[in-house]
């Protein structure tokens, strides 16, 4: 009914819109004076003063220091209250769970890593999750109940129809159809689940190379080869959450893999995945292939190849790797026609601009459209950072809504 509280255009809603605009400006620019907030929002000084008083009373902003460097008394500065809300993120791999807590400004205030070795976990997954989360919460000096929201990033995706984790047979203990209900019962805050590569894309879209881009593909190569698809500014997850599982993509140059759900791999993974780099290096005459986990070996080989001279076997490795990557990317580009392709994951970012240039050149010959390629900027725990950004976005929408 027109005129009721909360209807668009009412004073309450207009005040809430101004409140949110001011809070977003404080998040983006840091401490601001009343005058500066008024100029950036277009509000009069009295209205800006009322807004700040309202937000301060609600515990959403704090009065901090004063401006300096000008004649006369400094103006009062205001900032978002970091303790207004907290959110958490988890990055789950077969070998560990990395947990972090951030305050509402996005600053990480606690982090904890829980090793989870072994193909058959001795500790149930629910306990692993709560132990990892509690470690980060303790490091932040908080309690579980202080968290507003949790986002958990895993390989694969939970099927919305069955609740089972799909496309991640290598993640032990996470495939029970009752797992999501058990986690919901054990955790006091709302929990969301997202594919790990999708979260890396969220991090790049909010903080990194994809800022300002509505349509892009993020190609990820680390423990596995995958992609995230962002169309119209939103993640495209597909019917079962499997959009972007490009490791299963049949490609020229690799044997046709059948029953991919059982093998957990496909043609593109076999051709250009991190585990293929050591064997490819040996085939090309690289004599000093390091030993260790295949993700570390792949990143080391690619980094060394990016610095090598043109006649060095390492350089041939980089060129061959670029061709293999472009072979799979050409299919994505032909179907999606993205504005941008972001290269992420240690087996791609280790190659830097040298690898990017080679893949760009190959892709221009293999695909009709020519998207710009960029190396990912968020290189420190991008999945965890994306989980925090995702959790914070929803948290801010709820906590910063003053129309209620």
């Amino acid at each position: 009914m027109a005129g009721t509280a909360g209807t668009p255009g009412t004073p309450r809603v207009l005040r809430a819109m101004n409140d949110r605009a001011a809070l977003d400006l404080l998040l983006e620019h840091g401490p601001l004076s009343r005058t500066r907030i008024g100029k950036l929002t277009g509000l009069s000084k009295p209205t800006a003063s009322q807004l700040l008083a309202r937000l301060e009373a609600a515990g959403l902003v704090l009065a901090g220091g004063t401006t300096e460097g000008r004649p006369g008394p400094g103006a009062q500065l205001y900032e978002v209250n970091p303790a207004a809300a907290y959110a958490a993120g988890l990055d789950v791999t077969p070998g560990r769970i990395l947990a972090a807590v951030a305050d509402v400004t996005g600053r990480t205030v606690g982090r904890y890593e829980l090793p989870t070795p072994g193909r058959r976990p001795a500790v149930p997954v629910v306990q692993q999750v709560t132990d990892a989360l509690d470690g980060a919460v303790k490091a932040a000096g908080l309690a579980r109940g202080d968290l507003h929201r949790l986002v958990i990033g895993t390989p694969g995706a939970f099927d919305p129809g069955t609740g089972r984790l799909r496309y991640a047979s290598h993640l032990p203990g996470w495939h029970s159809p009752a797992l999501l209900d058990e986690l919901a019962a054990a955790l006091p805050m709302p929990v969301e689940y997202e594919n790990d590569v999708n979260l890396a894309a969220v991090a790049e879209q909010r903080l990194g190379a994809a800022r300002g881009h509505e349509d892009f593909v993020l190609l990820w190569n680390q423990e596995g080869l995958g992609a995230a698809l962002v169309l119209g500014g939103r993640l495209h997850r597909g019917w079962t959450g499997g959009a972007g599982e490009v490791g299963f993509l049949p490609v020229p140059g690799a044997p046709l893999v059948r029953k991919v759900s059982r093998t957990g791999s496909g043609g593109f993974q076999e051709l250009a995945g991190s585990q293929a780099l050591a064997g490819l290096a040996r085939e090309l005459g690289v004599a000093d292939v390091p030993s260790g986990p295949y993700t570390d070996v792949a990143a080391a080989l690619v980094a060394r190849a990016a610095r090598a001279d043109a006649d060095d076997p390492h350089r041939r490795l980089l060129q061959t790797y670029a061709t293999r990557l472009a072979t799979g990317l050409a299919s994505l580009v032909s179907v999606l026609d993205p504005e941008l392709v972001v290269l992420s994951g240690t087996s791609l970012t280790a190659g830097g601009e040298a690898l990017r240039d080679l893949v760009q050149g190959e892709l221009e010959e293999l695909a009709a459209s020519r998207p710009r390629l960029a190396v990912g900027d968020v290189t420190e725990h991008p999945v965890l950072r994306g989980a925090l950004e995702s959790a914070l976005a929803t948290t801010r929408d709820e906590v910063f809504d003053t129309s209620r």
Side-chain angles (χ1 to χ4, degrees), residues 111-270:
R111 183 177 291 176
Y112 183 79
E113 182 171 343
L114 177 73
T116 56
R119 295 187 59 84
R120 294 186 177 181
V123 177
V125 164
V126 173
Q127 185 176 337
Q128 291 180 8
V129 168
T130 54
D131 286 351
L133 181 63
D134 287 345
V137 166
K138 181 178 179 181
L142 302 170
R144 272 194 216 174
D146 294 321
L147 299 181
H148 199 87
R149 184 169 295 270
L150 169 65
V151 171
I152 299 177
T154 67
F158 287 93
D159 189 302
T162 66
R164 287 182 177 272
L165 183 65
R166 303 185 64 185
Y167 317 109
S169 58
H170 62 295
L171 193 62
W174 282 76
H175 299 89
S176 166
L179 177 61
L180 298 189
D181 290 336
E182 293 171 356
L183 286 168
L187 297 168
M189 75 293 293
V191 184
E192 298 176 10
Y193 304 87
E194 185 59 87
N195 172 262
D196 54 357
V197 184
N198 283 349
L199 291 176
V202 169
E204 291 293 345
Q205 188 178 31
R206 295 181 180 275
L207 306 171
R211 290 188 71 175
H213 293 274
E214 293 289 302
D215 294 274
F216 70 94
V217 170
L218 181 135
L219 184 69
W220 172 269
N221 201 7
Q222 196 159 300
E223 288 86 1
L225 182 62
L229 317 177
V230 178
L231 308 175
R234 299 173 63 88
L235 282 165
H236 176 69
R237 298 177 177 85
W239 181 252
T240 64
E245 293 288 344
V246 296
F248 298 114
L249 188 71
V251 292
L256 189 63
V257 179
R258 298 186 183 275
K259 298 180 180 180
V260 294
S261 60
R262 294 185 183 178
T263 62
S265 184
F268 197 18
Q269 179 71 42
E270 297 299 316

Side-chain angles (χ1 to χ4, degrees), residues 14-383:
L14 293 175
R15 283 196 300 269
M17 292 171 64
N18 289 334
D19 291 348
R20 181 59 192 265
L23 289 164
D24 286 342
L25 287 169
L26 290 170
L27 284 174
E28 181 179 0
H29 298 289
L32 296 172
S33 68
R34 179 200 62 181
T35 301
R36 183 63 177 155
I37 290 174
K39 289 181 178 180
L40 291 172
T41 58
L43 299 175
S44 66
K45 288 184 178 180
T47 302
S49 295
Q50 293 171 5
L51 177 152
L52 287 168
R54 187 166 61 248
L55 294 179
E56 190 172 8
L60 296 177
V61 302
L62 298 173
T66 58
T67 57
E68 299 178 354
R70 294 181 180 181
Q76 180 71 63
L77 294 175
Y78 296 86
E79 61 185 352
V80 172
N81 180 6
Y86 296 93
L90 265 62
D91 173 14
V92 179
T93 70
R96 56 103 178 107
I97 298 178
L98 188 61
V101 174
D103 64 36
V104 77
T105 69
R107 183 174 65 95
T108 299
V109 294
R111 183 177 291 176
Y112 183 79
E113 182 171 343
L114 177 73
T116 56
R119 295 187 59 84
R120 294 186 177 181
V123 177
V125 164
V126 173
Q127 185 176 337
Q128 291 180 8
V129 168
T130 54
D131 286 351
L133 181 63
D134 287 345
V137 166
K138 181 178 179 181
L142 302 170
R144 272 194 216 174
D146 294 321
L147 299 181
H148 199 87
R149 184 169 295 270
L150 169 65
V151 171
I152 299 177
T154 67
F158 287 93
D159 189 302
T162 66
R164 287 182 177 272
L165 183 65
R166 303 185 64 185
Y167 317 109
S169 58
H170 62 295
L171 193 62
W174 282 76
H175 299 89
S176 166
L179 177 61
L180 298 189
D181 290 336
E182 293 171 356
L183 286 168
L187 297 168
M189 75 293 293
V191 184
E192 298 176 10
Y193 304 87
E194 185 59 87
N195 172 262
D196 54 357
V197 184
N198 283 349
L199 291 176
V202 169
E204 291 293 345
Q205 188 178 31
R206 295 181 180 275
L207 306 171
R211 290 188 71 175
H213 293 274
E214 293 289 302
D215 294 274
F216 70 94
V217 170
L218 181 135
L219 184 69
W220 172 269
N221 201 7
Q222 196 159 300
E223 288 86 1
L225 182 62
L229 317 177
V230 178
L231 308 175
R234 299 173 63 88
L235 282 165
H236 176 69
R237 298 177 177 85
W239 181 252
T240 64
E245 293 288 344
V246 296
F248 298 114
L249 188 71
V251 292
L256 189 63
V257 179
R258 298 186 183 275
K259 298 180 180 180
V260 294
S261 60
R262 294 185 183 178
T263 62
S265 184
F268 197 18
Q269 179 71 42
E270 297 299 316
L271 186 72
S274 297
Q275 77 273 27
L277 266 292
L280 178 61
R282 296 186 185 96
E283 290 177 15
L284 295 174
V286 175
D288 51 345
V289 177
S291 59
Y294 70 87
T295 52
D296 295 342
V297 170
L301 285 169
V302 173
R304 194 185 306 168
R307 301 189 300 267
D309 296 329
D311 57 349
D312 190 313
H314 286 90
R315 197 66 179 188
R316 293 198 297 275
L317 170 64
L318 197 70
Q319 178 64 68
T320 304
Y321 182 42
T323 301
R324 292 184 172 195
L325 291 168
T327 299
L329 268 177
S331 296
L332 294 179
V333 168
S334 298
V335 173
L336 299 172
D337 189 23
E339 177 186 6
L340 173 73
V341 174
V342 178
L343 304 178
S344 186
T346 54
S347 296
L348 293 174
T349 57
E353 289 300 313
L355 179 61
R356 187 209 70 85
D357 290 345
L358 290 172
V359 177
Q360 182 88 63
E362 289 288 89
L363 193 58
E364 289 178 358
E365 295 190 7
L366 296 176
S369 62
R370 297 183 176 183
R372 183 173 67 86
L373 267 64
V375 180
D377 289 335
V378 184
T379 56
E380 183 179 358
H381 305 304
V383 175

